Amino acid sequence: MSDLSQIVKAYDIRGVVPDQWDEQAAAALGAGFAQFLTASHPSSTSVVIAHDMRASSPGLASAFARGVLSEGLGVVEAGLGSTDMLYFAAGSLGLPGAMFTASHNPAKYNGIKLCLAGAKPVGQESGLREIRDNAQRILDEATLIPAPAGARPEQHDVLADYARYLRELVDLAHIRPLKLVVDAGNGMGGYTVPAVLGDQVLGGLPLTIVPLYFELDGSFPNHEANPLEPKNLIDLQHAVVQHGADLGLAFDGDADRCFVIDERGEPVSPSAITALVAARELAKHPGETVIHNLITSSAVPEIIKENGGTPVRSRVGHSFIKADMARTNAVFGGEHSAHYYFREFWFADTGMLAAMHVLAALGGQPEPLSVLAGDFERYVASGEINSTVPDQKAKQQAVRAAYADAEVDELDGLTLTFADGAWVNLRASNTEPLLRLNVEAPTATRMAQLRDEVLGLIRS
């Protein structure tokens, strides 16, 4: 019997298949989701479902669909897709949705990202707890009923509509010719990139695409589909230089995050991409609000203000940034983890649209990406450094006491800001005895000095 509390997380559902959950649990979750929708969102008539390339995904998605049908709601099956393609379907069709993916996790994992109509997120505080409890009751009491006779999912291919919609948002038809290497990591970017950036579905663009690991393979035979880990970017970095490409793009397993490599093979920070896209969006929508989480570079709010926008800091985590996007009607939002959110995309995150903005910016001027991105890189960052400590709060207090002259902020963990513009953020993990450290400073010397001082206090 599945214990769903082990797999229902703060923002999604994720666990090992079949050890922690299986198709029986998926069917119960489908019925539990349908019960939640019927009770809390009675205008919902159907649920749109998509899945990634993992071996377990089609079976889990079909079982979930049976659970939805058993409660009298309809099912629209979109089939293979990226997470942002599912958000597109939920937004454009006005339906709640379920995406079967474990994103960048290893092959033995799978999960579900749920949303309401209009791609509104579902988390613990917005329905996920009720869905879990509904599903657990169905499992414990064995009360899942068969779907009504004749109830069948409706098949709906959204890939072409998704590609067309993104191309309407960012015009790439008139940029200078660019060569790019794309590392799909055997994930869903291998399915969506040829449709959006290539000529598989729509007309060709002035782009020469060198594909890397486009074969859909949920066993991830080449490297983990997690570009946040530097080791997973090495193949792309080499290929960009080898092919003399203008840039490289790396997508994670469900292709909702995108990392960028410049022509030298060097990573462009997600903060620089956030600032670049923010400047472009503010040029189209003057004076609007842009969201950034509190561990993006200080350059991000500076550049937002310089381009006439209003920066708003958010806590780390997509549920917080999506809530702030909706609350402020922000035109754009960016995170240090390479999640990028767009008002024109139902406030949801899409790595593909961010990549298209980078291509448009690069192809609209003559300089290489290293020069273009350099305009948005003003400070030196440490990257996130994790330390295992038994008492996170005590260590945070020790760091705070050591820097009594710093400005203190507790929006998300402990942030200390110094007179020279350097800052430190310490956030405790919710699930492990970890402290996560991020440091930024005007110079590499100052960053290293501050980083090493704080790590000394944490690890002493």
Side-chain angles (χ1 to χ4, degrees):
M1 188 71 66
S2 297
D3 177 4
L4 298 182
S5 67
Q6 299 300 305
I7 66 167
V8 178
K9 311 296 184 182
Y11 316 122
D12 60 15
I13 297 163
R14 207 170 296 195
V16 177
V17 178
D19 301 14
Q20 293 181 295
W21 71 302
D22 55 14
E23 292 183 13
Q24 181 183 14
L29 286 162
F33 187 39
Q35 290 176 358
F36 163 73
L37 293 171
T38 299
S40 304
H41 302 273
S43 61
S44 303
T45 56
S46 296
V47 176
V48 59
I49 301 173
H51 63 80
D52 71 9
M53 67 293 141
R54 292 166 188 265
S56 60
S57 291
L60 292 170
S62 293
F64 185 91
R66 290 196 299 274
V68 173
L69 292 169
S70 76
E71 292 293 326
L73 294 187
V75 168
V76 176
E77 286 187 341
L80 271 173
S82 60
T83 291
D84 67 325
M85 198 181 95
L86 184 277
Y87 292 150
F88 167 78
S92 61
L93 299 175
L95 296 176
M99 175 67 195
F100 280 76
T101 181
S103 185
H104 61 276
N105 285 124
K108 63 183 180 180
Y109 286 82
N110 216 323
I112 317 173
K113 295 180 179 180
L114 298 171
C115 66
L116 301 176
K120 294 187 176 74
V122 174
Q124 285 275 8
E125 305 305 317
S126 51
L128 201 49
R129 187 179 293 111
E130 293 93 327
I131 295 162
R132 178 199 66 198
D133 292 345
N134 291 346
Q136 191 69 63
R137 186 169 56 251
I138 290 166
L139 283 174
D140 293 346
E141 299 173 2
T143 53
L144 184 70
I145 59 175
R152 296 284 186 276
E154 172 193 342
Q155 308 300 314
H156 190 84
D157 185 355
V158 300
L159 181 63
D161 291 338
Y162 160 79
R164 191 173 295 108
Y165 182 73
L166 291 181
R167 286 205 188 180
E168 288 170 358
L169 294 180
V170 179
D171 180 14
L172 295 175
H174 304 103
I175 61 171
R176 65 182 170 92
L178 296 174
K179 179 189 283 190
L180 61 153
V181 182
V182 180
D183 185 345
N186 298 109
M188 292 312 304
Y191 181 72
T192 57
V193 167
V196 179
L197 302 180
D199 58 3
Q200 181 175 296
V201 172
L202 305 172
L205 297 169
L207 301 172
T208 300
I209 299 172
V210 179
L212 205 58
Y213 312 140
F214 271 37
E215 306 77 20
L216 301 183
D217 188 339
S219 70
F220 306 112
N222 295 291
H223 61 70
E224 289 181 354
N226 180 14
L228 194 58
E229 288 286 339
K231 64 183 180 181
N232 298 323
L233 293 174
I234 292 172
D235 291 354
L236 176 60
Q237 291 172 286
H238 288 164
V240 167
V241 175
Q242 176 190 346
H243 290 278
D246 295 289
L247 76 162
L249 303 175
F251 290 90
D252 65 347
D254 60 336
D256 64 346
R257 285 188 298 156
C258 182
F259 283 71
V260 180
I261 303 296
D262 71 20
E263 81 287 352
R264 306 167 303 171
E266 296 296 325
V268 180
S269 79
S271 287
I273 300 301
T274 296
L276 182 155
V277 178
R280 286 179 51 81
E281 288 286 49
L282 289 167
K284 281 197 303 180
H285 306 282
E288 297 273 10
T289 296
V290 175
I291 308 292
H292 64 99
N293 74 22
L294 83 170
I295 54 177
T296 54
S297 172
S298 297
V300 174
E302 289 174 4
I303 291 166
I304 292 167
K305 289 178 183 175
E306 288 165 12
N307 284 272
T310 302
V312 172
R313 288 168 81 234
S314 173
R315 294 179 62 184
V316 174
H318 78 91
S319 65
F320 299 116
I321 204 164
K322 283 179 177 176
D324 286 339
M325 289 279 294
R327 177 178 58 82
T328 62
N329 196 36
V331 69
F332 173 64
E335 291 198 274
H336 73 293
S337 56
H339 281 285
Y340 304 106
Y341 307 80
F342 295 84
R343 185 171 67 197
E344 294 174 316
F345 202 76
W346 299 276
F347 299 114
D349 43 324
T350 164
M352 185 70 77
L353 187 52
M356 294 172 73
H357 274 283
V358 173
L359 291 168
L362 178 61
Q365 52 83 65
E367 299 289 351
L369 182 55
S370 59
V371 174
L372 175 65
D375 293 338
F376 302 97
E377 299 263 23
R378 298 180 177 179
Y379 303 98
V380 181
S382 65
E384 193 153 272
I385 304 168
N386 290 326
S387 300
T388 301
V389 294
D391 189 341
Q392 297 112 310
K393 184 166 284 189
K395 291 296 184 183
Q396 286 176 311
Q397 289 171 346
V399 171
R400 180 172 182 168
Y403 297 103
D405 59 332
E407 180 184 322
V408 177
D409 180 285
E410 294 180 305
L411 173 66
D412 193 353
L414 173 68
T415 302
L416 302 175
T417 303
F418 300 87
D420 63 353
W423 57 263
V424 169
N425 175 265
L426 271 177
R427 291 162 31 254
S429 167
N430 292 321
T431 57
E432 301 171 90
L434 294 177
L435 268 180
R436 309 189 191 281
L437 170 67
N438 283 271
V439 180
E440 184 178 81
T443 67
T445 302
R446 171 67 166 141
M447 186 280 291
Q449 172 236 333
L450 199 50
R451 176 199 64 202
D452 294 346
E453 285 179 2
V454 176
L455 281 176
L457 291 166
I458 294 169
R459 296 175 176 178
S460 62

